[in-house]
Each structure stands twice: as structure tokens, then as C-alpha cells.
Amino acid sequence: MTATPVRHPAVAGRFYPREPQVLRDEVHTYLSQASPQSPARALGCIAPHAGYMYSGHVAGAVFTRLQIPELCLVMCPNHTGVGRALAIVSGGAWQTPLGDVPIDSAFAAALKQRCPLLQEDSSAHRTEHAAEVELPFLQTLQPKLKFVPIALGTGQFEALEQLGDAIAEVIAAQNTRVLIVASSDMNHYESDAITRVKDHKAIEPILALDARALYDAVTRQHISMCGFGPAVAMLTATKKLGARSAELVKYATSGDISGDRDQVVGYAGIIVPAI
């Protein structure tokens, strides 16, 4: 019998604590810092993926607002450039210091069948941090968590739209709820003032659920939003699933933490409520 493949953490001890109790306490701190509101059902969200010390408070603000279902689709950019352009992993589990998160093989298989652009490729995920850092938040809020990871190394709108359409059709056929998590930071390594202006040019179409306008804003305004691909696919899927609104839960830059306003990274936490 073949052993179930387990992906070991790539960035534990760097982006977030390696020690389980320290990590658990830190996640709870970021969740508790958020404005107290009753968690709501959502179709999708955008959450940042920087080191927790910089963006954990934004991620916590997003996830504390959501009822986390037992199945999440976590899409992230491919920062490493390794592997396929649309890389999915369909089996095994991902390990974090809080335990293993199994991959939902049936959901992954349905996605691959509906979207032939998706290709099985664990190499694209092996050292990629952007999906991994979301898992401790999701695990903390949903102990029965299963997920499917997709890393996107393409900037072609048609491919992203096709993926979003496929995601919507597969989710619509599910008997259980699915949360689509788009892992993304916003503009990178410009001044705080410039970054805030650029980021809000991207946030505006997101709040309008306009995937094409987001794509055009990022590409034409030179906004270095690393996860615009996951965001485009998420918006396409959630709109097809009936989404009517999106909400900016929290916005910040790394300068709010470091004090360095010369070169910052922006972080936006956005939710797309279920209807």
C-alpha cells in the first residue's frame, strides 16, 4: 500500500512560529484583535500571506468574520516560478505545527475534470508559502478542515476566468459548503503613499465583483498585487455562484508595523458574503 504523501511545512519558523503552542496563541491573538462580530457564511475571501508579524492582524480580521466550512479551496500565486502554470495537488495532506490537513481528493478530481488547464504538480507547492500560511488560521477555526491547494503561475485572464467558471460549477454540484480563499498581498516595495493609492485602485473593482476590471487595473496601473490571479478566479467563481457584494474588512501596509514608509507591502482583507 502506498503511503499517503505529506507536505512538510516550508516556512514554519520564518513566516509564523514553529512551536505549536506559540503558533496557536499567536493565531488566537490575531483573531481576538478583530472587531467582535458574529461569523457569517461566505463564498470567498482575500487574505494576505506575509509573515504574521506584518499581515497576521489583517488575516485574523478576515477569518474571524467567517464561518469556516469543512472544505476550503486555497488558491495562491506561484512566487517560486517552479512547476505548472495552474498547479493542483489532489492527494495526501499538508502538515503544519498544528497538525495535518488532508486534501479532499474527490473535490480536486472534480476540479481537474471540469478544468483541463489544471495539472497535478506538487513541485509548484513544495517551497511556496502563500497557501501554507493560511492553514493555521483555517485549522484553528475548523478542526475538521479539508482543503485543495492551487498555485497559479499564469497571468492570462482567459485561463483565470476558465478556472473560476469551473470552480463555480464544481462547488454548485457539492452537497457541502466550500470557502474559496484567494491568498494575496497587494502592491509591493513602493512608498506607503503610492501603495495606498495603487491598492485602492485594485480594491475598488474587487468590491464591485468585477474580475475583468481588477485584471485591467493591475496590469495597466502597474500594481504589483502578487495574487491577482487567485483573486480574479475567486471573483469569477463567486459571482457565478450568486454573490452580490464584497466587503473590505481591513487594510494596512507593512509600514504600519515596521514604521518604514519608504518601501512597503499592502495588505487587504476582503470577504464575499454568501447570499
Side-chain angles (χ1 to χ4, degrees), residues 94-273:
W94 282 25
Q95 183 186 83
T96 81
L98 302 184
D100 290 356
V101 183
I103 289 174
D104 190 312
S105 297
F107 184 63
L111 287 171
K112 286 194 295 183
Q113 184 176 19
R114 177 58 186 81
C115 183
L117 294 176
L118 284 171
Q119 293 182 290
E120 192 72 23
D121 186 4
S122 60
S123 69
H125 293 269
R126 191 165 294 123
T127 60
E128 174 58 57
H129 67 277
E132 177 182 325
V133 298
E134 312 294 0
L135 291 182
F137 283 98
L138 298 171
Q139 283 176 285
T140 298
L141 292 167
Q142 176 49 266
K144 297 180 180 179
L145 181 69
K146 291 184 178 182
F147 88 121
V148 171
I150 296 175
L152 297 177
T154 179
Q156 295 181 348
F157 180 80
E158 292 75 15
L160 298 169
E161 185 179 46
Q162 185 175 328
L163 174 60
D165 287 341
I167 290 168
E169 291 186 19
V170 174
I171 289 177
Q174 296 288 307
N175 293 322
T176 57
R177 289 198 302 119
V178 181
L179 174 68
I180 308 168
V181 179
S183 179
S184 182
D185 294 340
M186 301 299 288
N187 196 60
H188 288 63
Y189 308 134
E190 294 188 89
S191 73
D192 191 87
I194 290 173
T195 288
R196 288 175 186 271
V197 170
K198 283 191 170 184
D199 282 350
H200 282 85
K201 288 180 180 178
I203 291 169
E204 185 177 342
I206 294 172
L207 298 183
L209 301 177
D210 192 333
R212 181 77 222 195
L214 169 63
Y215 181 87
D216 290 343
V218 168
T219 54
R220 294 174 183 175
Q221 303 287 335
H222 305 291
I223 303 167
S224 52
M225 176 184 177
C226 55
F228 77 89
V232 164
M234 183 275 290
L235 290 173
T236 301
T238 54
K239 192 163 186 181
K240 193 165 185 176
L241 288 166
R244 296 174 183 168
S245 65
E247 177 187 348
L248 177 63
V249 175
K250 189 167 188 176
Y251 176 82
T253 74
S254 58
D256 296 329
I257 303 297
S258 68
D260 177 5
R261 303 287 179 178
D262 293 330
Q263 283 198 327
V264 306
V265 178
Y267 313 116
I270 296 171
I271 62 174
V272 180

Side-chain angles (χ1 to χ4, degrees), residues 2-14:
T2 304
T4 301
V6 175
R7 177 194 182 273
H8 298 286
V11 295
R14 293 194 291 135

